[in-house]
Amino acid sequence: MNRKGFTLIETIMVIAILALLMLILVPNVISLINKNNIKSCQNLEDSIKNAAKVYVANNKYQLGFSCDTAKEIIIQTLVDSGDLKLTDNKLVNPVSGKDIPLSSKIKVTYNCTTKDFNYEFDEFVTNEFKLCD
């Protein structure tokens, strides 16, 4: 009597090997996904700041900066000027999945001593990007 197929022991061994591989691979894949989401979030933050820098460079005289005074730029203004490109006309935090409102602001301060601009997000956006850390 010649039966072809796997015995019960062989099947159990294959299942055990597959379970062991899953125990090793799943945490690594989840960790990799989390790292990529955080990197995407940081890239989004950098993109918004870079768009603000371009906007300020193009409009610094119209904005009328003086020493150590802050001007607020609405993210929607960056979109309207073409300095910030959006997909589906919205910003989404890749970590939390929440929409970042286009009415959020970036505070730009000119420091006369260092002759440099400083860019800070308003409180809501700052809290959203704290999830990136």
Side-chain angles (χ1 to χ4, degrees), residues 91-106:
L91 287 173
V92 179
N93 183 330
V95 174
S96 68
K98 291 182 182 177
D99 285 351
I100 298 171
L102 297 179
S103 60
S104 300
K105 298 173 183 162
I106 299 173

Side-chain angles (χ1 to χ4, degrees), residues 25-65:
L25 292 177
V26 169
N28 290 333
V29 169
I30 290 172
S31 173
L32 185 63
I33 290 170
N34 288 338
K35 285 179 185 176
N36 285 336
N37 282 344
I38 289 170
K39 185 73 172 166
S40 295
C41 192
Q42 291 168 342
N43 288 339
L44 177 62
E45 182 180 6
D46 290 341
S47 294
I48 295 171
K49 284 186 179 179
N50 286 335
K53 289 177 184 179
V54 170
Y55 182 79
V56 167
N58 292 335
N59 301 293
K60 63 183 163 190
Y61 298 112
Q62 291 90 339
L63 292 169
F65 283 101

